[in-house]
Amino acid sequence: MGEKFMSWILFLHLLVIMGSYGSRGRELVGTENKLLDVSLQGGDANLQAISDDHQRAHKGHTHALFMAHKDHIDPSLMVFFTLKDLKVGKRMPIYFPKRDPASSPKFWPREEADSVPFSLNQLPILLKLFSFSPDSPQAKAMEDTLRECESKPIKGEVKFCATSLESMLDFTQSILGLTSDLQVFTTSHLTKSSVTFQNYTILENIMEISAPKMVACHTMPYLYAVFYCHSQESENRIYRISLDGDNGDRVDAMVVCHLDTSQWGHGHVSFQVLGVMPGASSVCHFFPADNLIWIPKLQGHGHSTM
């Protein structure tokens, strides 16, 4: 990729380093979109990323149906725990995917993304447009993403699939406040390693980040960058946790704990992993490095340590 191009994840990480942005957000978008690589020249790598993401998602849904014991859980599902486990010194197995931003699908500018259909009933047209056969892994990944994006939200949830950075910002500000400055948090890997699954120990200074509302955005497998963004009315807590891996890996991990899971479906994979029922327990989960947590930046923003 040429020097004039910049991956969307690097741009978002720059936003994290900057801490927040507000009224200049759309001005920044207009400038940075000129740097985004919207070509298909990285096709093979991008399509491989789609395939890998789809396989992980498929395994997660499959295991949710029949897993009964943690010894048989797919390691990629080991991201869930309960609030009572959130304590200094706790050691637990955690899966952190290590995706190369250079080979991950990129955000398209809004005008590019809006010019292409994004709906399940238009999938045959999309497959012809991008030259994918209907039985290819890429077609299956796209179908699953479109189906998930068009599924009904649970009670108290507002959801949206963002196909551009601009649309993500619009949705986020519609939830957090049109006049609010925004702050974004992501998980950071402080050491370089190819290890994705191992035991981590929670270190000191568990930080709770207080916010009246939050929007979580999760990457979805697709030809270009798509984020599943959602917000829930039920009580949630946000934490930043320092982790030490058995191999010496250090991670500043973002965690969201959902205190009310009564509206979640019985088949939700977290219940299978934790062995609990909807509404019976809190559910916390770690965020991969390419997932985002948006909150309003308020004056006197509260942080507390445990």
Side-chain angles (χ1 to χ4, degrees):
M1 186 160 47
E3 292 183 0
K4 67 176 181 178
F5 294 123
M6 172 182 183
S7 71
W8 62 268
I9 195 68
L10 177 57
F11 171 50
L12 290 173
H13 282 169
L14 286 176
L15 293 183
V16 175
I17 294 170
M18 288 157 49
S20 67
Y21 64 97
S23 59
R24 293 191 65 245
R26 282 160 180 74
E27 184 179 324
L28 281 169
V29 168
T31 301
E32 297 300 338
N33 264 339
K34 296 175 183 177
L35 301 176
L36 296 177
D37 182 3
V38 298
S39 73
L40 298 179
Q41 61 186 7
D44 289 344
N46 285 354
L47 298 184
Q48 185 61 52
I50 294 172
S51 252
D52 292 346
D53 280 346
H54 170 254
Q55 288 171 10
R56 273 193 297 272
H58 180 69
K59 285 180 181 178
H61 294 148
T62 302
H63 277 268
L65 298 176
F66 65 84
M67 285 185 308
H69 195 279
K70 284 191 176 182
D71 289 344
H72 301 102
I73 295 179
D74 186 322
S76 67
L77 302 179
M78 297 301 291
V79 297
F80 301 103
F81 63 101
T82 62
L83 196 55
K84 63 181 177 63
D85 292 322
L86 186 58
K87 53 189 177 183
V88 174
K90 177 69 177 181
R91 186 168 174 262
M92 66 179 80
I94 307 171
Y95 178 83
F96 284 111
K98 304 287 179 70
R99 304 185 184 107
D100 180 7
S103 62
S104 296
K106 311 299 187 294
F107 258 145
W108 287 8
R110 170 178 274 168
E111 61 272 17
E112 298 279 346
D114 288 352
S115 68
V116 178
F118 188 78
S119 65
L120 192 58
N121 63 9
Q122 297 291 317
L123 182 59
I125 296 175
L126 288 167
L127 296 181
K128 288 182 179 179
L129 179 64
F130 295 113
S131 302
F132 294 145
S133 64
D135 58 349
S136 66
Q138 294 82 8
K140 180 59 176 172
M142 292 172 70
E143 178 183 355
D144 287 352
T145 290
L146 292 170
R147 195 177 300 280
E148 181 67 21
C149 288
E150 294 180 9
S151 65
K152 291 184 178 180
I154 63 173
K155 184 178 179 181
E157 179 188 38
V158 182
K159 54 178 278 190
F160 174 73
C161 281
T163 58
S164 66
L165 182 56
E166 298 96 326
S167 64
M168 180 191 289
L169 295 179
D170 284 346
F171 174 76
T172 300
Q173 291 203 298
S174 73
I175 300 296
L176 303 182
L178 295 176
T179 60
S180 297
D181 287 354
L182 303 179
Q183 192 165 12
V184 61
F185 293 90
T186 67
T187 289
S188 299
H189 293 272
L190 307 182
T191 53
K192 290 185 178 181
S193 169
S194 60
V195 175
T196 58
F197 182 61
Q198 65 172 319
N199 287 312
Y200 288 88
T201 301
I202 299 177
L203 304 179
E204 295 181 2
N205 299 324
I206 297 173
M207 180 183 294
E208 181 174 0
I209 301 169
S210 61
K213 294 181 180 180
M214 61 162 280
V215 173
C217 293
H218 311 281
T219 53
M220 299 291 284
Y222 209 70
L223 179 70
Y224 48 88
V226 171
F227 278 79
Y228 179 99
C229 298
H230 63 134
S231 179
Q232 297 177 343
E233 292 179 356
S234 58
E235 185 179 357
N236 304 296
R237 294 181 187 173
I238 308 169
Y239 297 93
R240 178 152 48 194
I241 303 173
S242 294
L243 299 172
D244 182 27
D246 280 1
N247 74 336
D249 277 359
R250 295 293 296 271
V251 183
D252 279 347
M254 295 305 303
V255 166
V256 169
C257 291
H258 305 279
L259 275 58
D260 180 8
T261 61
S262 59
Q263 299 299 320
W264 294 17
H266 283 73
H268 195 283
V269 67
S270 63
F271 300 140
Q272 306 298 323
V273 173
L274 299 174
V276 299
M277 298 293 289
S281 170
S282 62
V283 171
C284 304
H285 60 95
F286 291 95
F287 272 59
D290 55 2
N291 285 207
L292 310 170
I293 300 172
W294 297 92
I295 63 172
K297 186 175 183 184
L298 304 176
Q299 204 139 32
H301 208 302
H303 296 73
S304 60
T305 56
M306 299 171 59

